[in-house]
Amino acid sequence: MNKKWDYVNFREDMKDPDPDKPHQALFDLNQELEKGIVLDEGVQKHVFQDVLKQALESSHSDVQGAAVKCIPALVKKVKETFVTEGILKLSEKLTDTKKEHRDIATISLKYIVENVPPTYKECMHTLAFSLVKLMKSPSDDIKLDIMDVVVDLLRKFGGILSSEHEQLQQVLVSALSSSNQSVRKRAINCIAVLSVHTNESLFQQIVTGQVITGIEKDKGESLRKCIQLCSTISRTAGHRVGVFLGQIMPLLLSNLEEDMLAQIEDDGERNEVRENILQAFESLIIRCPQQVSPFLEKIIAACKDGMSYDPYYDYDDDEDEPMDEVEDEEDDYQDMLEAEADDDDDVSWKVRKASAKCLSALIQSRPDCLDYVYAAICSKQAREVDLKAESPSDRKCLPERFKEREESVRLDIFKVFTDLLAATQISTAERSQARSSGMSGSYSASFHMKVESRPEVRHLLEVKDFIVDSIIKATKDKSMKVKATCITLLKSLLVVLKGELDTSIGKFLKVIKDILHAKDTTSALKTEVLQFLLLIVVSCPSESPEAQQIVPELLPLILACVTDKYYRITSEALRVCGELAPVVVKAPDAEKRAVQLFDAVFERLSTPDVDQEVKDCTITTMGHILKYAGSQTPQQLLSSEMISKSFKQYLVLLGSDYSRVPVLKALTMTKGVKMETDVLNKFVTEISTFLRKASRPLRQASLHCLKTLVERKNDVQKDLLKQILMELTPLLNDIDLHLSHLAIDLCDAVLKSCNDMALVVEEHVLPKFIGLLKSPLLQGSALESLENVFVTMWPLCSMGYHPLLQHILSAADGTGDNRQVLSSIAAVTARITSMASEDQQAKTIEQYISYIADVKNSKQCSLGIACLGEIGKYVNISSNARALDSIKVQFGHAEEDVKTLAAVSLGKITVGSPDNLLPQLLNAIDKEEANRYLLFRALKETLARSSASNDFDPVKNSYGTILKACLGYAGTADEGIRNIVSECLGKLAMLEPEAVTKGMYDKAVETGPVSDTTATIITAMKYAVSEVGFRYERLEADLEYFLGYMTKPEGADKDANLANVKVRRAAVQLLTSAVHSKPDAVRGNLQVYMKKLLDQCVVDNELVRSVNLGPFMHKVDDGLELRKSAYECIDILLDGCFSGESLLDYLNDYMTVARHLVLGMQTNQGSDIQVLSFIMYSKLCKIPRAQMAVISLLGDMFGENSLPKIVSSNLSKFTKANTVQQEKDKISDLIVSMLKMYSAVVKVPGTEENTILEIFTSQVVPTIPEEIREKMTGKE
């Protein structure tokens, strides 16, 4: 027992008549319980009883409150028996005549339900039984309190109370007939939660007996009750309602018909029926998106009617008024919007609001119906129907409803249009990343991300002018929130329609001018307007008339915003100024405007102590102004004095740690602007010291900037160039190869700028270059830069060719037998040797031949092979038989790495002399069976180097011979040869796509779907498609043919089906490659490909066989790898949603994808696919358009027969004593990935109060061992 708390003292304080004593004792108890105090079993009962006694019987509210606060922590510390006794005592108080006693009992019971351990099931049964009995009380107040507890009880423990389900449902159904509306609504909520857990029989009784029968037969209040019950059940157990939609939907739709509504006399009740039905539609669309399909047409019609339902107000017909007249009558228009009739009684706005929300739900959950939705609510056809209406109030298309008079409803209608535009975009432009960096780069660079629109955009184009006019008219509203939403709509419309709104730019500029000029414009609205203006500037070419309108009309207002006190406005205005720079220089009065722009920005640039974002934007904007207006081409608009003081101010700003990086990036932009020599040298002096700083972004920007400054020919002093070389030397290491690459490029620029620096490089920098060559990490751009700098340095080097070569070759000493190091050394030496004299080249080749001859020294031999191969790319050595023979001899080397290196080198040498060596290579492939794999490896290298060459194609005259050789071995029994042949064919297809793919196509047609040759050919297409430059006229048609092999052959027997698995898997992998590298080539037939792909996700029982292992039978799934490939393809498709190439957005069917991911979570798929499915579903949860699908499938995923069952079966294996550690780790990884997916699901908007998730959280998650949950936390 903890010494800080003593039961005896607690008991005495509880009996003390002074209320302060029990209050303090209860407070202390609560504190100790939260700290983890353990109560002895002997005192648990008495403590719990004392707390409940004070809660129920104390006459002091403070004491009662303190006692109630102890209950949540206390129920976790006492035995279940004592909790049960407390529940019975509290239940008795639920029927007390005093409301305060009932309130305390209700709150206490809710606390117990919320905090009681999941294992205390018996006490929950007791509580449920007591509540059922108490529900028979005639008092409505008592029933309300009891049902308040019932809701919480069912949410957390509904699944384990199956024995009480029937009784609970009976008493709750009886409560539906209460005359008290509050009781009925509370009973409806309870039934809805209970419906998640009841068996099929009880659920059917509710749906058919109460919902369907009630809607069909009842009238008035009873009808509204049944409709509300339907709506609420669809929100909690929508996945179960789907099977009854064929009966429910016609009844709901019939009750929206005018003759049925006319039978309801009271307008308020009539509106409530409309609202409830529309809310039911919204819930059913979200939870049962597929089952509701047959009724979508009528639902949309009902929403259109509801959205225009405003019986107490007539909208004026102002359609034919010119925009200018409408804008001049702002006050009259606003008075019209504010006019209301019978404000206290008119609740028709609720109907319009429910209609708008239903349409939003439809657009989000069924994007595949986008074309029909557009045609119904936002198309030329819908507009023509509206124009035939007798009254403007009868016009129902979406843009017409932008004039809605109720602000909250108006915003919901705007949201419908926003959702419509979002569904029309396949990918969107990201702006936040550029802004987070302080706008250190050009905004246009971050905005110009690929943005595509779906074909449905044609409907927008038909009515674009009407939409624009409707939105602009809505900007006249006095509400700043409405104005801001309108600007957001215009921004979205501009992105979706791209260059199709050029004729409306003038209207946009008028709106922007009015808002910026208005005195009452809020800061948030100004910021939004400036962002919109920036979007306009970026989307219009600088010389276009639309862009040129901005300068005379808006430049003064923009410059006024630059001086605004609010930093957000200033920052956005500066961004606009930066992008306006290329527009201003092409204006008729360019010089005058450029000076105005410069003066405004320079004033900000020279102002100290401003917000950092403003400072960064100012620096970058000035860089843009100098780049366009300060450059001498085509015309210098700024005076030399202006340019000079700008650079001097930059020099001052370099002294601040916070503004250095933006200044360096701005200086890099001003490459073409003349700079005074002394200022240039000061910049070089200062910036070169930044290379010592720890900040990587600063060093990176400094290297870029210094290279730009050095390239100003002969302007930088020699001693400063030497200083640069000394400062960049420490950066030449493999810790950060990107910085090394930049440093090497800077060194190269210094050498080209001043040849005298060669001695400094030779003395101080060359050792660092040699150190880099020793790094096994050197590759890519860093290696290429190193090759280039050696090419520049060699003619200037004092040591001569052979000493320099030996110096480079010495890099191999002390590095072990590392292939990457040898490859780097070979690449550098080959570049130098290619520029040497023929005599020097011959001596060097002889030296490498001697290296190869030293077979005892494996590293020396490998270095000679690698160097000879690299030289062979540049120098024709086909006449040197000793060199070729020395390479071929190594095919028999004992080490596989040496053999492969020899094959690669032979391929490179063939590139240098294809006419002589390529026929020999192809002939050897036919004759030398033992070396066939290595010879194909050499051929692959030749083809790879040929495809990478931009200057010439060394194998151009041998395409047909190579193709014939490759296809001849495409079906060989050796899988290794088949794989290398497919790579060769892929490389060959890059060189001559039309002829090679035609040959591959013909061969595949000849061999058919059950052939290794076909699988090899499809794999070759995969390699070809993955290449960046691979493109030809018949690509889409050929892909359609080869991807057709994903389909299982009709009538294939078991053996043929097994043989066909290789072909199907190759086709799936081809689709994966195409999705990743050539998404536009598969977009046209994507729906067909997706159906074939998803068919591969299903377990094929024909491919599952049993193998007798003696003591037990083992199941082997020959289709597992095929399914894994299919799910990996889906993973690539999901990744595209985050990279801007989203084919799934184009497909617009996330529901089908989500269903197959749920299928992949099943046990029969195998743990690898389960883990992959969990990971992919986590990604799916982060895609906004897929979130409706996620919500719809919660029941399928987290229902008791799905994930809970998977967790239970895996945990039972995990806890077995004889389970090996490897199996435990596998189970642990599976459950961790599932928990991560669960974490992603609960973050999806709309899942906050989902009952199924709450059950999983309270009943399944706690059963997972702590060691697994800790592993998840550690991984994240």
Side-chain angles (χ1 to χ4, degrees):
M1 179 68 69
N2 195 315
K3 292 182 180 179
K4 293 182 179 179
W5 186 86
D6 184 71
Y7 171 68
V8 176
N9 294 334
F10 172 78
R11 194 70 186 271
E12 289 176 359
D13 288 342
M14 288 292 99
K15 296 177 180 178
D16 198 297
D18 182 4
D20 290 340
K21 287 291 184 71
H23 180 271
Q24 185 61 44
L26 289 166
F27 178 79
D28 292 341
L29 173 63
N30 194 27
Q31 292 291 101
E32 295 299 325
L33 288 170
E34 289 180 355
K35 291 177 183 178
I37 186 176
V38 178
L39 298 176
D40 291 340
E41 188 173 337
V43 302
Q44 289 180 9
K45 177 178 181 179
H46 300 295
V47 172
F48 198 43
Q49 287 179 344
D50 289 343
V51 170
L52 290 180
K53 183 176 181 181
Q54 292 293 338
L56 296 172
E57 299 178 10
S58 176
S59 58
H60 300 277
S61 59
D62 290 345
V63 177
Q64 288 179 312
V68 171
K69 288 180 181 178
C70 287
I71 292 175
L74 192 57
V75 293
K76 301 174 184 178
K77 304 290 184 180
V78 300
K79 294 180 66 175
E80 183 176 10
T81 307
F82 307 139
V83 177
T84 303
E85 293 175 2
I87 286 173
L88 292 172
K89 189 172 184 179
L90 289 168
S91 299
E92 293 175 1
K93 289 294 182 179
L94 285 175
T95 57
D96 198 292
T97 54
K98 293 184 178 180
K99 188 177 187 311
E100 54 270 23
H101 288 176
R102 293 201 309 273
D103 289 345
I104 289 173
T106 301
I107 295 170
S108 299
L109 285 171
K110 287 167 71 69
Y111 275 151
I112 291 174
V113 170
E114 182 180 351
N115 295 279
V116 72
T119 54
Y120 286 15
K121 298 179 181 179
E122 287 304 318
C123 64
M124 292 298 100
H125 282 286
T126 302
L127 176 58
F129 182 75
S130 301
L131 294 176
V132 169
K133 287 175 60 178
L134 298 173
M135 274 288 293
K136 298 175 182 176
S137 170
S139 170
D140 289 340
D141 290 337
I142 292 174
K143 285 181 179 179
L144 288 171
D145 291 335
I146 293 170
M147 285 190 285
D148 204 15
V149 180
V150 169
V151 168
D152 285 3
L153 177 64
L154 290 174
R155 277 185 178 145
K156 187 171 182 182
F157 293 101
I160 65 171
L161 299 176
S162 54
S163 57
E164 284 81 19
H165 283 172
E166 186 172 2
Q167 293 176 311
L168 280 167
Q169 184 163 300
Q170 288 174 357
V171 295
L172 291 171
V173 168
S174 64
L176 289 175
S177 59
S178 172
S179 58
N180 188 313
Q181 185 178 10
S182 298
V183 173
R184 293 198 304 271
K185 287 186 176 180
R186 191 71 58 81
I188 286 172
N189 289 335
C190 291
I191 292 172
V193 178
L194 178 63
S195 297
V196 178
H197 309 285
T198 54
N199 57 39
E200 292 300 326
S201 176
L202 291 175
F203 184 74
Q204 187 172 1
Q205 288 177 23
I206 283 290
V207 175
T208 57
Q210 297 298 318
V211 175
I212 296 175
T213 305
I215 296 174
E216 191 174 14
K217 297 182 178 179
D218 293 349
K219 306 293 180 185
E221 188 70 34
S222 181
L223 173 62
R224 291 195 296 277
K225 171 196 69 180
C226 295
I227 292 172
Q228 189 176 5
L229 177 61
C230 175
S231 176
T232 311
I233 289 178
S234 66
R235 282 195 290 272
T236 58
H239 60 290
R240 303 185 71 183
V241 177
V243 295
F244 300 98
L245 284 188
Q247 298 169 272
I248 294 174
M249 290 301 298
L251 294 174
L252 293 177
L253 289 166
S254 66
N255 278 280
L256 277 179
E257 295 175 1
E258 288 300 326
D259 55 342
M260 294 293 291
L261 292 170
Q263 298 177 18
I264 305 173
E265 296 181 359
D266 183 72
D267 287 346
E269 293 179 358
R270 189 185 306 119
N271 290 336
E272 188 177 355
V273 168
R274 285 180 183 267
E275 180 191 7
N276 286 336
I277 292 176
L278 290 166
Q279 287 175 341
F281 288 165
E282 179 189 358
S283 298
L284 292 170
I285 286 170
I286 294 173
R287 268 75 185 183
C288 314
Q290 300 299 322
Q291 294 93 327
V292 84
S293 297
F295 310 100
L296 287 181
E297 183 178 350
K298 293 183 179 179
I299 290 175
I300 293 173
C303 289
K304 284 180 65 177
D305 291 340
M307 203 161 53
S308 60
Y309 177 70
D310 198 354
Y312 302 112
Y313 188 82
D314 285 330
Y315 293 88
D316 294 334
D317 189 358
D318 51 7
E319 284 307 317
D320 297 327
E321 294 185 33
M323 281 300 301
D324 293 339
E325 293 181 19
V326 174
E327 289 162 359
D328 292 339
E329 296 174 3
E330 178 179 340
D331 293 336
D332 294 340
Y333 181 73
Q334 189 59 38
D335 291 341
M336 178 195 76
L337 291 178
E338 292 180 345
E340 294 185 1
D342 301 326
D343 281 348
D344 296 335
D345 299 328
D346 181 19
V347 291
S348 62
W349 63 271
K350 293 184 178 180
V351 177
R352 300 195 296 277
K353 191 177 187 72
S355 300
K357 287 189 171 184
C358 185
L359 276 177
S360 283
L362 175 60
I363 293 167
Q364 292 177 48
S365 62
R366 292 299 303 273
D368 53 310
C369 300
L370 193 60
D371 189 69
Y372 181 78
V373 174
Y374 260 118
I377 66 174
C378 190
S379 65
K380 183 179 179 181
Q381 180 184 357
R383 175 69 179 144
E384 289 172 351
V385 172
D386 276 354
L387 291 176
K388 296 176 182 177
E390 295 181 2
S391 166
S393 299
D394 296 331
R395 294 173 183 172
K396 301 176 182 179
C397 73
L398 186 60
E400 280 284 358
R401 299 311 310 158
F402 291 167
K403 59 190 176 185
E404 167 63 45
R405 59 194 177 95
E406 183 70 33
E407 182 176 318
S408 66
V409 180
R410 198 177 200 185
L411 293 175
D412 282 331
I413 291 173
F414 286 152
K415 186 178 182 302
V416 175
F417 190 63
T418 302
D419 293 336
L420 205 56
L421 292 177
T424 309
Q425 289 178 229
I426 294 175
S427 58
T428 58
E430 291 290 343
R431 182 178 183 197
S432 57
Q433 293 178 358
R435 292 188 55 184
S436 65
S437 62
M439 194 54 201
S440 56
S442 169
Y443 173 76
S444 60
S446 64
F447 170 75
H448 282 144
M449 177 181 167
K450 190 175 181 180
V451 180
E452 296 185 4
S453 300
R454 292 181 53 77
E456 290 82 1
V457 77
R458 68 183 186 279
H459 295 295
L460 281 176
L461 292 173
E462 291 173 352
V463 290
K464 61 181 181 180
D465 294 332
F466 172 53
I467 294 172
V468 168
D469 290 345
S470 299
I471 297 174
I472 290 177
K473 196 181 299 180
T475 61
K476 304 305 172 184
D477 194 288
K478 290 182 179 179
S479 167
M480 293 298 159
K481 189 181 290 186
V482 171
K483 285 178 183 285
T485 306
C486 289
I487 297 299
T488 303
L489 284 180
L490 289 174
K491 281 168 35 180
S492 301
L493 196 63
L494 192 62
V495 171
V496 172
L497 295 184
K498 300 176 185 175
E500 300 293 338
L501 291 178
D502 291 348
T503 56
S504 300
I505 297 295
K507 298 176 183 178
F508 297 157
L509 298 182
K510 181 69 169 64
V511 171
I512 292 171
K513 184 176 180 180
D514 291 344
I515 293 177
L516 290 178
H517 191 71
K519 295 180 179 179
D520 60 343
T521 302
T522 61
S523 297
L525 181 57
K526 269 189 181 180
T527 304
E528 197 74 29
V529 167
L530 288 168
Q531 291 173 357
F532 178 41
L533 178 58
L534 180 59
L535 192 60
I536 293 174
V537 176
V538 170
S539 61
C540 294
S542 57
E543 68 279 357
S544 66
E546 292 79 19
Q548 290 300 323
Q549 288 182 56
I550 300 172
V551 178
E553 293 188 19
L554 292 179
L555 186 59
L557 290 172
I558 297 168
L559 297 181
C561 289
V562 170
T563 61
D564 198 277
K565 294 179 181 179
Y566 183 45
Y567 78 97
R568 288 289 304 280
I569 294 176
T570 306
S571 300
E572 294 297 340
L574 285 166
R575 291 186 177 99
V576 175
C577 289
E579 296 301 335
L580 268 179
V583 180
V584 166
V585 298
K586 295 181 180 178
D589 50 351
E591 187 172 352
K592 173 187 172 184
R593 298 296 185 182
V595 171
Q596 290 177 351
L597 193 62
F598 175 87
D599 289 341
V601 177
F602 185 79
E603 183 181 352
R604 273 290 180 186
L605 188 68
S606 56
T607 303
D609 302 326
V610 297
D611 178 84
Q612 187 59 41
E613 183 180 359
V614 174
K615 180 65 74 178
D616 291 351
C617 289
T618 308
I619 292 167
T620 304
T621 300
M622 182 56 76
H624 281 289
I625 295 172
L626 291 175
K627 176 183 178 181
Y628 291 103
S631 175
Q632 294 179 333
T633 53
Q635 180 185 2
Q636 182 176 321
L637 301 176
L638 300 178
S639 66
S640 299
E641 182 183 354
M642 290 179 178
I643 295 171
S644 177
K645 69 179 183 179
S646 299
F647 284 132
K648 288 177 180 177
Q649 187 60 38
Y650 274 160
L651 200 55
V652 172
L653 291 170
L654 277 178
S656 168
D657 291 342
Y658 300 105
S659 56
R660 283 173 179 164
V661 174
V663 169
L664 293 169
K665 291 185 177 181
L667 284 173
T668 306
M669 283 192 286
T670 61
K671 183 177 180 180
V673 182
K674 188 174 181 181
M675 185 185 296
E676 296 173 6
T677 303
D678 61 330
V679 175
L680 172 63
N681 288 321
K682 286 179 182 178
F683 273 126
V684 172
T685 303
E686 183 74 15
I687 296 171
S688 60
T689 63
F690 296 162
L691 299 181
R692 309 173 198 164
K693 302 292 183 181
S695 170
R696 185 178 186 274
L698 177 60
R699 287 188 291 180
Q700 187 174 331
S702 299
L703 289 167
H704 277 296
C705 187
L706 282 171
K707 184 182 177 185
T708 303
L709 296 176
V710 167
E711 287 171 347
R712 294 171 179 265
K713 299 294 184 182
N714 301 320
D715 287 343
V716 182
Q717 296 174 2
K718 289 185 179 180
D719 58 335
L720 293 179
L721 292 176
K722 182 177 179 180
Q723 180 183 338
I724 291 173
L725 292 173
M726 301 304 292
E727 295 291 354
L728 66 80
T729 301
L731 300 179
L732 297 172
N733 54 61
D734 61 357
I735 297 174
D736 190 330
L737 282 176
H738 182 64
L739 281 181
S740 295
H741 151 65
L742 297 177
I744 296 169
D745 278 352
L746 176 55
C747 180
D748 197 20
V750 170
L751 280 172
K752 290 175 180 176
S753 174
C754 179
N755 293 343
D756 295 344
M757 290 296 108
L759 292 175
V760 179
V761 173
E762 188 176 337
E763 181 181 356
H764 298 284
V765 185
L766 183 56
K768 289 297 226 175
F769 288 162
I770 301 301
L772 262 179
L773 280 173
K774 293 182 178 183
S775 171
L777 303 177
L778 182 63
Q779 57 183 316
S781 57
L783 177 57
E784 186 178 345
S785 299
L786 197 58
E787 291 177 30
N788 293 333
V789 79
F790 270 109
V791 169
T792 304
M793 186 176 67
W794 173 62
L796 309 173
C797 186
S798 63
M799 66 174 66
Y801 169 73
H802 278 294
L804 179 61
L805 184 68
Q806 295 307 123
H807 201 47
I808 295 171
L809 290 172
S810 68
D813 298 338
T815 59
D817 193 11
N818 188 287
R819 293 289 180 263
Q820 183 58 44
V821 173
L822 300 181
S823 175
S824 300
I825 294 171
V828 173
T829 57
R831 288 289 299 276
I832 297 174
T833 303
S834 67
M835 301 178 66
S837 66
E838 290 185 4
D839 183 54
Q840 289 172 327
Q841 289 176 354
K843 289 180 180 179
T844 303
I845 291 172
E846 287 301 321
Q847 180 181 350
Y848 294 152
I849 292 173
S850 67
Y851 283 179
I852 299 172
D854 189 2
V855 292
K856 293 182 179 179
N857 189 337
S858 177
K859 183 175 74 172
Q860 191 90 323
C861 177
S862 297
L863 178 60
I865 295 171
C867 290
L868 207 54
E870 288 292 335
I871 289 177
K873 293 192 302 184
Y874 306 104
V875 179
N876 187 338
I877 60 174
S878 60
S879 59
N880 193 329
R882 288 184 64 244
L884 296 175
D885 290 341
S886 66
I887 294 285
K888 293 177 182 178
V889 166
Q890 301 309 315
F891 283 2
H893 200 281
E895 296 181 21
E896 287 296 327
D897 286 348
V898 176
K899 287 199 240 182
T900 303
L901 184 59
V904 170
S905 294
L906 179 60
K908 291 176 181 177
I909 293 170
T910 305
V911 172
S913 49
D915 294 338
N916 295 327
L917 297 184
L918 186 58
Q920 296 178 28
L921 179 60
L922 295 175
N923 186 48
I925 287 174
D926 283 332
K927 293 182 178 180
E928 300 179 25
E929 183 178 354
N931 295 328
R932 186 167 291 148
Y933 177 84
L934 293 172
L935 291 167
F936 267 118
R937 180 68 182 84
L939 178 61
K940 176 200 164 185
E941 188 66 25
T942 302
L943 295 171
R945 297 291 171 177
S946 301
S947 60
S949 174
N950 296 322
D951 301 327
F952 74 105
D953 182 359
V955 298
K956 185 174 182 179
N957 300 322
S958 306
Y959 291 150
T961 310
I962 298 172
L963 177 61
K964 183 179 179 181
C966 290
L967 290 178
Y969 293 98
T972 185
D974 189 324
E975 186 177 359
I977 292 180
R978 291 203 307 271
N979 290 337
I980 197 68
V981 164
S982 64
E983 293 184 55
C984 289
L985 284 170
K987 297 296 181 184
L988 186 62
M990 268 292 294
L991 297 169
E992 184 57 42
E994 294 285 352
V996 174
T997 52
K998 177 67 167 61
M1000 290 161 57
Y1001 174 89
D1002 293 341
K1003 189 68 173 179
V1005 171
E1006 177 188 334
T1007 55
V1010 187
S1011 165
D1012 287 341
T1013 300
T1014 304
T1016 302
I1017 289 171
I1018 296 173
T1019 304
M1021 277 298 292
K1022 176 192 77 171
Y1023 288 123
V1025 166
S1026 64
E1027 296 288 345
V1028 176
F1030 183 70
R1031 181 76 61 177
Y1032 64 103
E1033 187 177 347
R1034 284 192 359 262
L1035 176 60
E1036 291 187 29
D1038 283 351
L1039 282 175
E1040 183 178 1
Y1041 171 76
F1042 287 120
L1043 291 175
Y1045 281 105
M1046 283 192 288
T1047 305
K1048 181 179 175 180
E1050 292 184 10
D1053 58 22
K1054 192 172 182 178
D1055 292 337
N1057 186 23
L1058 180 59
N1060 176 248
V1061 168
K1062 291 180 186 176
V1063 177
R1064 283 155 61 191
R1065 188 180 177 213
V1068 169
Q1069 290 174 337
L1070 170 59
L1071 178 61
T1072 304
S1073 181
V1075 163
H1076 183 265
S1077 305
K1078 304 286 186 295
D1080 54 322
V1082 295
R1083 185 170 291 157
N1085 293 314
L1086 185 60
Q1087 193 167 4
V1088 176
Y1089 299 151
M1090 279 300 294
K1091 184 180 184 305
K1092 293 179 179 179
L1093 175 69
L1094 296 175
D1095 285 345
Q1096 312 311 312
C1097 297
V1098 182
V1099 176
D1100 187 348
N1101 291 325
E1102 280 190 6
L1103 298 175
V1104 179
R1105 53 193 170 87
S1106 296
V1107 178
N1108 191 341
L1109 296 181
F1112 56 90
M1113 299 293 289
H1114 175 64
K1115 281 191 175 181
V1116 176
D1117 187 351
D1118 293 315
L1120 178 61
E1121 293 302 320
L1122 170 61
R1123 296 200 305 279
K1124 282 174 67 174
S1125 296
Y1127 277 104
E1128 285 165 0
C1129 183
I1130 297 173
D1131 193 26
I1132 296 295
L1133 284 164
L1134 287 172
D1135 287 340
C1137 298
F1138 303 99
S1139 65
E1141 288 286 359
S1142 179
L1143 289 174
L1144 287 182
D1145 277 355
Y1146 187 86
L1147 187 66
N1148 249 3
D1149 191 7
Y1150 282 103
M1151 177 61 72
T1152 303
V1153 174
R1155 288 187 184 280
H1156 280 80
L1157 292 184
V1158 174
L1159 178 69
M1161 298 173 194
Q1162 304 309 310
T1163 306
N1164 66 336
Q1165 290 279 7
S1167 60
D1168 289 344
I1169 292 178
Q1170 284 181 291
V1171 170
L1172 188 57
S1173 297
F1174 290 140
I1175 293 171
M1176 287 191 286
Y1177 211 86
S1178 300
K1179 295 178 183 178
L1180 197 72
C1181 293
K1182 297 173 185 176
I1183 303 172
R1185 297 186 187 185
Q1187 289 175 349
M1188 283 293 182
V1190 172
I1191 293 171
S1192 301
L1193 294 175
L1194 288 178
D1196 295 342
M1197 286 181 58
F1198 293 94
E1200 59 183 14
N1201 290 323
S1202 188
L1203 287 185
K1205 191 173 181 179
I1206 293 171
V1207 173
S1208 175
S1209 63
N1210 278 283
L1211 287 182
S1212 64
K1213 297 177 188 175
F1214 187 83
T1215 54
K1216 281 184 179 179
N1218 60 349
T1219 303
V1220 297
Q1221 187 59 42
Q1222 185 179 2
E1223 184 68 18
K1224 282 190 173 185
D1225 291 341
K1226 201 173 183 180
I1227 294 170
S1228 177
D1229 290 341
L1230 175 68
I1231 295 178
V1232 165
S1233 61
M1234 184 272 296
L1235 286 174
K1236 287 184 177 180
M1237 181 209 65
Y1238 159 76
S1239 299
V1241 169
V1242 297
K1243 293 175 185 175
V1244 173
T1247 61
E1248 295 85 358
E1249 297 182 359
N1250 187 276
T1251 308
I1252 298 172
L1253 273 180
E1254 289 177 359
I1255 295 166
F1256 188 83
T1257 304
S1258 61
Q1259 296 183 15
V1260 179
V1261 174
T1263 64
I1264 298 173
E1266 191 65 29
E1267 60 181 292
I1268 296 180
R1269 281 187 275 177
E1270 285 176 359
K1271 187 176 179 182
M1272 172 189 171
T1273 307
K1275 282 189 176 182
E1276 289 184 328

